[in-house]
């Protein structure tokens, strides 16, 4: 049976409509599946790994990521310290002190020789005088000669004693009482200087400062961290660059502590302060500032600036801003900074303000 043209047209239109409905249905199904997959991915992803909360940069890292970065965390504890004052310091050459010691030993030897000669001359003069008084066969000329020898020896003794005294006075004007006594006595302290096991350090207070010398100071060592030096005495010399009071300290010798090396010395002054010490291992430097990563939660890390005005032997003393009990990253902080900068780039930039 043949269909008329009108029936063919209606049939073709029906097929087209059916195909269009099927395509629309399939597209809707695909869109639903994609939205569902995106939702599941977002659920798995969790919070953004880097964000800014109350002006602070926050990293969110799960435990496996923390382990991969090798993070270690320590708890800050309460401590007390004094304000730190920084002054210039210089390693001194002890060549002059060694020269003084050598000359002093030679003068002492000559003085001892003069005393021996005077003792012999005195005994000889006494013997001849006794014989002369007993009308023995001793001429007055021989007695006078013995007396002259005795007087010469005694004059040598006085000259030697004066020379020793003068040498010691000059040394005290250059090195102070304690170091001069070390050299005079040839003490173990002086021997350690000669053996280069210890060095002498001069520190100079700025003009007008009246701080008492600290019994122990911290020295910034080139190429290392720090070392301590102990007080010896006031130092009579004046640094012409600073025109302030100087003090003498001694420190354990190191390859970088050679005569003439200029250092910075840190000493404790003023009243005691309460706070915490942020360890050196926790510090990372960026944009010329010291930073630390604090851990306010198991998977949260906040980068915070650390005041560096009060350096101490093991880090920086902080009076305000950090509290006992705060947890900071002491191992892997540099990796956290690198991770943060990488995430910043992916996120289009996040503020570094504390």
């Amino acid at each position: 049976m043949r269909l008329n043209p009108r029936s063919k047209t209606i049939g073709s239109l029906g097929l087209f409509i059916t195909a269009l409905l099927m395509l629309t249905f399939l597209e809707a199904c695909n869109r639903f599946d994609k939205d569902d997959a995106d939702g599941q991915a977002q659920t798995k992803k969790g919070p953004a790994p880097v964000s800014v909360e109350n002006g602070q940069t926050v990293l969110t890292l799960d435990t496996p990521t923390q382990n991969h970065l090798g993070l270690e965390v320590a708890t800050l504890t309460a401590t007390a310290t004094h304000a730190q004052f920084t002054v210039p310091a210089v390693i001194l050459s002890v060549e002059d002190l060694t020269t003084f010691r050598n000359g002093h030993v030679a003068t002492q030897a000559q003085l001892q020789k003069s005393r021996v000669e005077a003792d012999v001359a005195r005994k000889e003069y006494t013997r001849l005088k006794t014989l002369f008084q007993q009308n023995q066969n001793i001429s007055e000329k021989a007695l006078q000669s013995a007396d002259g020898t005795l007087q010469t020896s005694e004059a040598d003794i006085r000259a030697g004693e004066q020379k020793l005294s003068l040498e010691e006075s000059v040394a005290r004007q250059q090195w102070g009482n304690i170091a001069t006594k070390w050299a005079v006595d040839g003490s173990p302290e002086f021997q350690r200087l000669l053996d280069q096991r210890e060095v002498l350090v001069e520190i100079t207070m700025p003009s007008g400062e009246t701080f008492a010398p600290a019994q122990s100071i911290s020295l910034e060592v080139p190429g290392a961290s720090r070392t301590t030096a102990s007080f010896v005495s006031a130092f009579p010399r004046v640094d012409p660059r600073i025109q302030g009071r100087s003090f003498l300290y001694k420190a354990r010798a190191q390859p970088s502590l050679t005569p003439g090396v200029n250092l910075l010395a840190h000493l404790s002054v003023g009243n005691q302060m309460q706070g915490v010490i942020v360890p050196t291992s926790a510090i990372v430097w960026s944009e010329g500032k010291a930073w630390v990563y604090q851990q306010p939660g198991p998977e949260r890390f906040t980068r915070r600036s650390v005041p560096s005005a009060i350096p101490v032997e093991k880090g920086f003393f902080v009076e305000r801003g950090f509290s006992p009990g705060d947890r900071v990253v002491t191992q892997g902080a540099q990796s956290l900074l690198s991770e943060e900068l990488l995430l910043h780039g992916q996120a289009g930039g996040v503020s570094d303000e504390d």
Side-chain angles (χ1 to χ4, degrees):
M1 181 180 63
R2 297 184 61 183
L3 297 177
N4 58 40
R6 183 179 179 182
S7 298
K8 291 181 178 181
T9 301
I10 294 174
S12 298
L13 182 62
L15 290 174
F16 175 77
I17 293 173
T18 301
L20 182 63
L21 289 174
M22 291 183 65
L23 288 174
T24 303
F25 175 75
L26 291 175
E27 182 178 357
C29 290
N30 289 335
R31 187 180 298 110
F32 175 79
D33 292 340
K34 182 177 184 300
D35 291 343
D36 183 62
D38 290 344
Q40 292 180 3
Q42 182 65 29
T43 301
K44 291 180 181 180
K45 183 178 180 182
V50 61
S51 60
V52 176
E53 300 180 11
N54 299 322
Q56 294 182 339
T57 300
V58 178
L59 287 175
T60 302
L61 302 175
D62 56 22
T63 300
T65 302
Q66 295 178 38
N67 293 337
H68 174 71
L69 295 176
L71 301 188
E72 294 182 8
V73 179
T75 302
L76 301 181
T77 58
T79 187
T81 189
H82 293 79
Q84 297 290 302
F85 196 74
T86 301
V87 298
V90 62
I91 305 298
L92 298 176
S93 169
V94 295
E95 182 179 356
D96 292 345
L97 196 61
T98 304
T99 300
F100 159 71
R101 169 64 182 170
N102 292 336
H104 198 69
V105 168
T107 302
Q108 286 179 317
Q110 183 60 47
L111 178 59
Q112 183 62 27
K113 180 180 178 182
S114 297
R115 286 170 175 165
V116 171
E117 291 175 348
D119 185 59
V120 173
R122 188 176 299 107
K123 291 178 180 179
E124 178 64 11
Y125 173 74
T126 301
R127 185 183 71 82
L128 293 178
K129 183 178 181 180
T130 300
L131 293 175
F132 180 79
Q133 290 174 346
Q134 294 176 355
N135 295 320
Q136 299 292 329
N137 189 22
I138 296 298
S139 67
E140 184 177 359
K141 183 178 180 180
L143 181 60
Q144 291 175 346
S145 177
D147 182 46
T149 301
L150 175 59
Q151 291 185 35
T152 300
S153 298
E154 290 177 341
D156 289 341
I157 292 175
R158 290 191 295 271
E161 290 174 342
Q162 290 177 359
K163 185 177 181 181
L164 279 181
S165 178
L166 179 61
E167 289 175 350
E168 292 180 17
S169 295
V170 172
R172 281 193 293 270
Q173 291 174 16
Q174 294 181 337
W175 292 95
N177 293 334
I178 302 300
T180 298
K181 189 175 187 306
W182 290 349
V184 169
D185 297 342
S187 66
E189 292 86 351
F190 182 72
Q191 190 60 46
R192 285 196 289 271
L193 295 176
L194 293 183
D195 295 341
Q196 299 182 347
R197 288 180 288 160
E198 291 184 343
V199 295
L200 292 179
V201 185
E202 175 191 2
I203 71 165
T204 303
M205 300 288 191
S207 179
E209 297 293 348
T210 58
F211 298 133
Q215 292 302 307
S216 178
I217 62 174
S218 175
L219 297 174
E220 292 188 20
V221 179
S225 54
R226 295 193 178 202
T227 188
T228 57
S230 56
F231 178 71
V232 175
S233 69
F235 195 57
R237 301 186 210 175
V238 175
D239 190 326
R241 302 168 300 173
I242 304 173
Q243 298 289 325
R245 295 183 304 153
S246 295
F247 298 94
L248 192 63
Y249 286 76
K250 63 178 181 178
R252 185 181 298 276
Q254 298 185 25
S256 56
L257 297 182
T258 56
V261 170
N262 291 299
L263 308 169
L264 289 178
H266 306 281
L267 57 153
S268 299
V269 297
N271 297 324
Q272 194 175 69
M273 301 181 296
Q274 301 293 328
V276 297
I277 293 178
V278 178
T280 304
S281 59
I283 300 294
V284 291
W285 293 89
S286 178
E287 301 175 357
K289 296 175 61 177
W291 301 85
V292 67
Y293 280 94
Q294 185 177 349
Q295 187 187 37
E299 296 184 350
R300 293 165 57 82
F301 298 89
T302 301
R303 180 157 64 95
R304 300 183 56 193
S305 62
V306 179
S308 56
I310 310 180
V312 293
E313 184 177 357
K314 297 180 180 180
F316 292 102
F317 177 83
V318 179
E319 190 175 12
R320 296 181 182 85
F322 291 86
S323 304
D326 288 347
R327 291 171 58 79
V328 297
V329 176
T330 56
Q331 184 70 33
Q334 190 63 49
S335 297
L336 274 182
L337 179 62
S338 300
E339 187 77 9
E340 177 186 339
L341 296 178
L342 177 62
L343 292 172
H344 278 183
Q346 295 176 352
V350 179
S351 173
D352 284 343
E353 294 181 1
D354 191 353

